[in-house]
Amino acid sequence: MIMLTGLQKIYHGGTGAVKAIDNVSLEIEQGEIFGIIGKSGAGKSTLIRCINLLERPTAGRVLVDGQDMTSLSEVELREARKSMGMIFQHFNLLSSRTVLGNVAFPLEIAGISRTEREKKAVPLLELVGLTDKKDVYPAQLSGGQKQRVGIARALASQPKVLLCDEATSALDPQTTESILALLKDINIKLGLTIVLITHEMHVIKAICDKVAVIEGGQLVETGKVFDVFTNPQSATAQDFIKAVVNNKVPDTLAALLSDAPVAGGNLVMRLSFFGDATNEPVIAGLIRRFAVDVNIISGNIDHLQDTPYGTLLIELSGKDEDIQNALIYLQDLDLRTEVIGYVARHAHAAG
């Protein structure tokens, strides 16, 4: 559906050239909810605006549904943009128009009659749950309701793609959850391809199928959300995931850890469970099979879409041979193991 190839965007200013986007290539398939995450200034807003050519790339190609957007004339580009709706962080509603008038505005610009505009706009208000608000003005709406109007307006031209530029950043957590649920519902009902940029990992975790991580204008990681979330390869992705998963080693323990085995010491490791493995009695089996004690330092179980995902941070104590056998046992199971380090026996408790 969307293919970016060698995309580059350079801004020229008083301090010289700045590469906002640096040789980015990625592919977004039909019907996906594709998230693009990055910190402030990473280039993600520029990237999404290059898709509909609100920002014209300095180099590279943008193909949408097989059409090369970068080769179109201004007239052709205006027509092509009708297949791409866009919603923004700050809603951008017309204060002098009612909710119905805002949703119908793109149709008015397109020269569609008033009767036909209303016929198209009213079902969209029903879709976003605002039928009872059609005659009120934006000033009378909450932030979440304003964003619902923005979504309905973006859908008025029956687009194939919906671009979301930090669509939930101005909303409180509960309202954010309802807007994300609405976007997921629209994706399913309309088969719409959604591209969503954000700086919040919980937004990606909630509804996205795939994610691209951008840093300094460059793509540093991309893949299925489950794969990136459970096994992040880039430091940037790891930082984002730490914000939503509490699997950090406590500072008091981290200060005592050694990378090399400590004679007569304990092994500290992180276990990650996926899917059915979250229901397995791993710790009970470990204790039954080996003469080791297990101290659970921290743990949690969460869900990525419909798949359960859990982590445990544990400390194994016992004879060196028993600890190594227990480690081999864990590594052979259907879970991910990570040795964090070694600590002298009783040192953690003493600290």
Side-chain angles (χ1 to χ4, degrees):
M1 167 54 76
I2 300 173
M3 184 178 292
L4 310 180
T5 307
L7 205 65
Q8 187 179 76
K9 178 64 181 180
I10 300 176
Y11 293 106
H12 296 278
T15 57
V18 176
K19 284 186 179 179
I21 300 295
D22 187 7
N23 194 32
V24 168
S25 297
L26 60 84
E27 186 171 352
I28 301 169
E29 296 180 10
Q30 166 66 39
E32 281 186 333
I33 302 181
F34 195 100
I36 299 172
I37 190 168
K39 299 173 184 177
S40 296
K44 55 189 185 297
S45 289
T46 301
L47 179 60
I48 201 170
R49 290 168 66 86
C50 281
I51 293 176
N52 61 5
L53 263 71
L54 288 178
E55 294 281 357
R56 184 168 285 277
T58 306
R61 300 176 71 204
V62 178
L63 273 69
V64 179
D65 202 19
Q67 187 174 40
D68 188 349
M69 301 290 290
T70 53
S71 68
L72 301 181
S73 67
E74 286 302 317
V75 174
E76 292 170 330
L77 189 54
R78 282 196 294 272
E79 184 64 29
R81 284 192 183 124
K82 292 178 182 178
S83 68
M84 291 181 282
M86 191 165 188
I87 58 176
F88 306 89
Q89 177 180 355
H90 297 296
F91 322 127
N92 294 348
L93 302 182
L94 299 170
S95 61
S96 61
R97 289 178 177 256
T98 64
V99 165
L100 182 63
N102 268 279
V103 175
F105 185 65
L107 303 174
E108 180 181 340
I109 296 298
I112 296 173
S113 70
R114 182 172 182 173
T115 302
E116 193 65 24
R117 292 200 302 266
E118 188 163 331
K119 188 183 297 185
K120 290 177 178 290
V122 169
L124 292 174
L125 288 177
E126 184 178 353
L127 179 65
V128 300
L130 289 179
T131 303
D132 61 330
K133 301 292 184 182
K134 71 183 182 70
D135 296 321
V136 307
Y137 290 86
Q140 301 169 269
L141 301 176
S142 67
Q145 290 170 333
K146 289 177 182 178
Q147 193 57 284
R148 287 173 180 267
V149 176
I151 292 170
R153 180 182 58 187
L155 298 176
S157 60
Q158 297 181 301
K160 298 176 182 177
V161 175
L162 182 61
L163 305 176
C164 306
D165 188 357
E166 294 278 12
T168 60
S169 293
L171 305 175
D172 62 74
Q174 186 174 356
T175 306
T176 291
E177 188 175 326
S178 70
I179 293 298
L180 294 176
L182 174 61
L183 290 174
K184 183 66 176 179
D185 185 55
I186 289 170
N187 166 256
I188 293 170
K189 287 180 177 177
L190 304 182
L192 205 62
T193 302
I194 298 178
V195 184
L196 186 153
I197 71 164
T198 182
H199 62 275
E200 299 169 307
M201 195 65 191
H202 72 87
V203 171
I204 300 292
K205 174 175 170 281
I207 65 168
C208 292
D209 302 304
K210 292 181 183 175
V211 61
V213 184
I214 189 170
E215 179 68 30
Q218 295 182 326
L219 198 63
V220 295
E221 189 166 353
T222 186
K224 293 180 180 179
V225 168
F226 189 88
D227 295 338
V228 173
F229 200 94
T230 59
N231 190 26
Q233 300 300 304
S234 65
T236 304
Q238 291 167 10
D239 286 345
F240 278 118
I241 290 165
K242 285 176 185 176
V244 292
V245 175
N246 181 25
N247 60 7
K248 182 177 180 290
V249 178
D251 292 340
T252 53
L253 176 57
L256 301 171
L257 286 175
S258 168
D259 292 336
V262 177
N266 298 345
L267 171 69
V268 179
M269 64 186 306
R270 183 180 290 116
L271 308 179
S272 299
F273 306 79
F274 315 105
D276 293 339
T278 56
N279 298 318
E280 295 297 320
V282 173
I283 300 302
L286 186 67
I287 295 171
R288 281 199 307 268
R289 286 171 173 82
F290 305 98
V292 294
D293 292 325
V294 182
N295 174 32
I296 298 177
I297 300 168
S298 64
N300 67 285
I301 295 180
D302 204 340
H303 284 76
L304 292 173
Q305 308 294 335
D306 297 324
T307 304
Y309 162 60
T311 60
L312 274 179
L313 190 64
I314 64 174
E315 183 177 4
L316 300 181
S317 60
K319 294 180 180 179
D320 291 347
E321 181 180 357
D322 291 329
I323 290 176
Q324 289 307 310
N325 287 334
L327 175 59
I328 293 170
Y329 166 76
L330 290 171
Q331 291 172 336
D332 286 340
L333 295 178
D334 187 23
L335 49 83
R336 182 175 295 125
T337 61
E338 178 188 359
V339 174
I340 304 299
Y342 301 83
V343 62
R345 193 159 299 163
H346 308 308
H348 183 210

